[in-house]
Amino acid sequence: MLTRAGIVRLLGDAGVDVVGEAEDAEGLLRRVQATRPDVAIVDIRMPPTHTDEGLVAAQRIRRDHVDVGVLVLSQYVEPAYAIRLIEDHPQQVGYLLKERVFDVAILLDALRRIADGETVVDPTIVARLVGRRRQADPLEELTPREREVLALVAEGRSNRSIAAELFVAERTVEAHIKQIFMKLNLREEPSNHRRVLAVLAFLRS
């Protein structure tokens, strides 16, 4: 309750219109149905069992309301939940640690990106996954710089933002991303969102 009240206060002070609050998953689904917000902010663990009710509700929101984005919050680094969320609905979703949302700039940036159709993954989860590699790693062919670019793509960063972070030209980032798509065998097709598919390959690896 305190976390929810704090987030509502932060958003209100930043000029964001909060159209509803809910204490549990069922209440959340009813509020989304009634208000159709741009983005729903959802705690991954909700009553009654405090396991994955929020994640299930988030997936249902994306399934039933394609115009409503979802930002899932978690107390812990749980990459499997992030992968589960993005695999099922790879656009207009985000996954952040709760500690991150009390920096209003980070919260607002994530909400804007999700509302614009992007995918946002907490940098801590990205860092954890960068340190893990499985056998037959699909990213093995990527250069260190290409992996660095892909990690920033996984955070939901735009090409311009990545270029600023790495102190390179935007066209250099575009060239890296083109190489990433080619090495991951992600062909340009109308039904494919290649940035999201590349992020999924990154998360799975």
Side-chain angles (χ1 to χ4, degrees):
M1 182 183 69
L2 291 175
T3 299
R4 187 171 72 247
I7 293 172
V8 169
R9 176 66 181 272
L10 279 174
L11 292 174
D13 289 347
V16 176
D17 186 15
V18 179
V19 297
E21 300 177 49
E23 296 181 357
D24 55 32
E26 288 303 317
L28 167 66
L29 294 171
R30 286 195 298 271
R31 295 299 297 162
V32 168
Q33 175 68 33
T35 62
R36 297 298 180 90
D38 296 311
V39 181
I41 302 175
V42 184
D43 193 328
I44 207 164
R45 300 178 186 275
M46 301 182 77
T49 68
H50 296 278
T51 53
D52 66 347
E53 282 92 349
L55 181 64
V56 172
Q59 292 171 309
R60 187 167 164 187
I61 290 169
R62 289 297 299 127
R63 184 193 70 202
D64 296 345
H65 307 286
V66 295
D67 56 333
V68 178
V70 175
L71 175 60
V72 171
L73 307 181
S74 177
Q75 186 74 35
Y76 309 103
V77 178
E78 298 172 298
Y81 282 168
I83 293 170
R84 185 171 148 194
L85 177 67
I86 296 169
E87 280 185 329
D88 287 350
H89 302 283
Q91 295 178 331
Q92 283 184 272
V93 296
Y95 187 105
L96 290 180
L97 296 180
K98 283 185 184 177
E99 64 190 48
R100 201 81 62 185
V101 301
F102 289 103
D103 183 327
V104 69
I106 291 175
L107 177 58
L108 292 177
D109 181 62
L111 292 175
R112 289 191 188 103
R113 289 180 181 181
I114 293 167
D116 287 341
E118 297 182 28
T119 300
V120 177
V121 181
D122 194 284
T124 303
I125 294 175
V126 173
R128 175 76 62 87
L129 292 166
V130 166
R132 264 184 2 194
R133 285 289 177 261
R134 67 184 183 190
Q135 292 183 340
D137 183 0
L139 307 187
E140 196 65 43
E141 292 186 23
L142 301 187
T143 66
R145 178 60 100 181
E146 288 165 354
R147 290 185 186 183
E148 192 174 8
V149 168
L150 183 53
L152 292 170
V153 170
E155 292 178 18
R157 307 280 283 272
S158 66
N159 287 2
R160 180 176 296 180
S161 174
I162 294 170
E165 176 78 16
L166 300 179
F167 301 101
V168 299
E170 192 170 345
R171 64 178 177 274
T172 302
V173 173
E174 291 170 359
H176 284 312
I177 290 176
K178 184 176 180 180
Q179 285 296 309
I180 290 167
F181 290 160
M182 185 181 70
K183 291 178 180 180
L184 295 180
N185 198 30
L186 299 175
R187 298 181 180 85
E188 187 171 5
E189 298 176 5
S191 60
N192 285 347
H193 192 305
R194 291 194 294 173
R195 287 178 83 96
V196 174
L197 293 175
V199 169
L200 284 172
F202 173 79
L203 293 174
R204 291 187 187 115
S205 74

